[in-house]
Amino acid sequence: MESLMAYVVGILFAAAIYMMLRRSIVKLVIGLIMLSNAANLLIFVVSGMTRGAPPLIPEGADAPLGAVADPLPQALILTAIVIAFGVLAFAVVLIRRAYEVVGTDDLDQMKDTDT
């Protein structure tokens, strides 16, 4: 299962870089979203895909009983999702404003407007 997920991560990274190299700024942002999702999936796969109970320590015990899930990758991924959403919201507003000013979403035509 982990080798399949490694292939999915590689495909997501490749597709994200392909989209980021396109001329449209909208496709650039879609590539940025895909890159963020690929990084989140990479953290998830590298941390190990084991099922376990929540890491709760019963009263009177020194350690959790049995196999437990590691909460650190989950916290990292949740933080990354929140940051990616903030970047996406900023990028959408920036694209909208750039389109209003320049009148196009083509990056090459946007370079021609520099004076």
Side-chain angles (χ1 to χ4, degrees):
M1 182 68 174
E2 289 182 0
S3 62
L4 174 67
M5 295 303 286
Y7 284 119
V8 170
V9 168
I11 290 170
L12 272 175
F13 271 116
I17 291 176
Y18 175 77
M19 291 296 283
M20 291 174 71
L21 293 175
R22 307 303 301 163
R23 288 174 43 174
S24 172
I25 196 164
V26 174
K27 291 179 183 175
L28 178 107
V29 171
I30 291 171
L32 186 66
I33 296 166
M34 290 175 68
L35 188 69
S36 171
N37 288 336
N40 291 341
L41 189 59
L42 178 68
I43 293 171
F44 180 70
V45 171
V46 169
S47 68
M49 298 175 61
T50 58
R51 289 187 180 209
L56 301 175
I57 301 174
E59 190 173 329
D62 292 337
L65 304 174
V68 295
D70 187 11
L72 182 63
Q74 297 172 12
L76 288 173
I77 292 171
L78 183 61
T79 304
I81 290 170
V82 171
I83 292 170
F85 182 73
V87 169
L88 172 65
F90 177 72
V92 167
V93 171
L94 189 64
I95 288 171
R96 182 170 182 249
R97 181 68 182 145
Y99 184 78
E100 287 176 0
V101 170
V102 179
T104 185
D105 71 336
D106 189 0
L107 290 172
D108 289 339
Q109 291 177 358
M110 285 184 177
K111 287 181 186 177
D112 294 340
T113 60
D114 293 341
T115 55

